[in-house]
Amino acid sequence: MTRHWQDLSSTAALSSLYLRAACKRKITGDTLPDSGLRCYLEVRPQQLEAYRKLCHFSDDGRLPPTFPHVMAFALQLQVLTAKAFPFPLLGMVHLHNSIRVVRPLGGVSRLRFSVHVENLQPHEKGATCDMITEAEDGLGLLWSETSRMLCRGVKLSGEPVATAEPVNEPLDELTRWYADSDIGRRYAKVCGDYNPIHLSATSARLFGFPCAIAHGMWSKAMTLAALRGHLPVSGYEIAVDFLKPVRLPSEVILNASPTAAQGQLRLDGHGELVHMHGSWRPLD
């Protein structure tokens, strides 16, 4: 497929994108657009400092590996709320996230981001699609991300794609942290992701959740911060599947393989709950 790119001088305001999302409630088709958006975006130092503090990243002169996701959030939202995208944003579920750090994220102040969607597949609860985000500097690709989203209620022909089971190997407790009741609001204030299911029990109940749940990308960011001694500076991929949501407030336990070039991770709750599992590996 030939991708048609629209180059923007800036992203749309988040307020207008949330209004657009709130107004679109129906599925309008079963084909993904062949277009994408590109835009140069600046690192905002105050946001970066607040993000490091929120997610427990040390200031080592490099961007946290999840921070480009935050930089690109408005551009991603603009793709998912565009008229050509056939599914309503409200109610979509983030199932999987894979981040590839191609080169070191040091000395970065401005990047060109590109975002598009692809790979529409049937799922037992609807359909999934992949949102692809890439960040380039003057030398080429620096960082990329694949976010798999579940669109409920979509009917596609064909059999659902089977999900791969994680490799079961002995994991050691690396750390644990407490997700307090206002972490969703604090994450939203820093990152702009004001999905109601994360903000309060009252707003979460409107979407079928008994209480607010933590942002999946906050859990992944906290995990990457804790794994800093396990991961190289660059040349790796870390992928996770989001399973049971982290209800707020609650304690979670991060288990991981011993320090190695590749390994497994699992984020557990109490009572045999598994919130997230995943792995890291060197890039080919």
Side-chain angles (χ1 to χ4, degrees), residues 28-246:
T28 57
D30 58 7
T31 304
L32 296 178
D34 61 0
S35 58
L37 297 179
R38 294 189 297 213
C39 188
Y40 281 97
L41 299 171
E42 308 278 345
V43 173
R44 293 188 287 158
Q46 287 185 327
Q47 183 188 38
L48 175 58
E49 181 182 0
Y51 184 77
R52 283 183 174 133
K53 185 178 298 184
L54 179 73
C55 302
H56 298 186
F57 285 105
S58 60
D59 184 356
D60 59 2
R62 301 189 301 269
L63 298 183
T66 46
F67 189 70
H69 170 89
V70 177
M71 292 179 65
F73 178 69
L75 195 64
Q76 294 172 341
L77 208 60
Q78 199 160 337
V79 168
L80 295 179
T81 58
K83 186 176 293 186
F85 186 71
F87 312 128
L89 179 62
L90 293 179
M92 289 180 67
V93 180
H94 196 178
L95 296 181
H96 171 89
N97 180 270
S98 173
I99 285 174
R100 291 162 291 279
V101 181
V102 180
R103 290 184 285 111
L105 298 174
V108 176
S109 60
R110 185 172 186 256
L111 294 169
R112 187 176 81 156
F113 283 89
S114 61
V115 181
H116 71 277
V117 288
E118 64 180 32
N119 192 31
L120 186 63
Q121 297 285 345
H123 186 276
E124 59 185 0
K125 295 182 180 179
T128 61
C129 66
D130 292 343
M131 180 170 61
I132 310 298
T133 305
E134 296 182 335
E136 297 180 346
D137 61 6
L139 298 177
L141 183 65
L142 184 67
W143 175 98
S144 66
E145 175 188 62
T146 300
S147 290
R148 182 156 299 142
M149 314 298 292
L150 169 63
C151 316
R152 297 178 187 272
V154 181
K155 295 181 180 179
L156 297 178
S157 59
E159 291 296 319
V161 177
T163 56
E165 292 295 324
V167 176
N168 290 320
E169 64 175 58
L171 303 179
D172 299 324
E173 180 177 331
L174 182 62
T175 188
R176 58 179 65 198
W177 61 82
Y178 187 73
D180 55 33
S181 58
D182 71 340
I183 189 60
R185 295 187 293 276
R186 291 194 284 128
Y187 184 91
K189 184 177 180 180
V190 172
C191 304
D193 187 349
Y194 283 92
N195 188 324
I197 64 176
H198 304 302
L199 304 181
S200 71
T202 302
S203 58
R205 288 190 195 104
L206 298 175
F207 294 89
F209 292 89
C211 60
I213 62 174
H215 291 79
M217 289 306 294
W218 175 73
S219 295
K220 183 169 184 180
M222 291 286 287
T223 296
L224 276 161
L227 287 171
R228 56 187 172 270
H230 291 59
L231 301 173
V233 171
S234 64
Y236 68 91
E237 176 183 27
I238 183 162
V240 300
D241 293 318
F242 300 112
L243 304 174
K244 297 293 185 180
V246 176

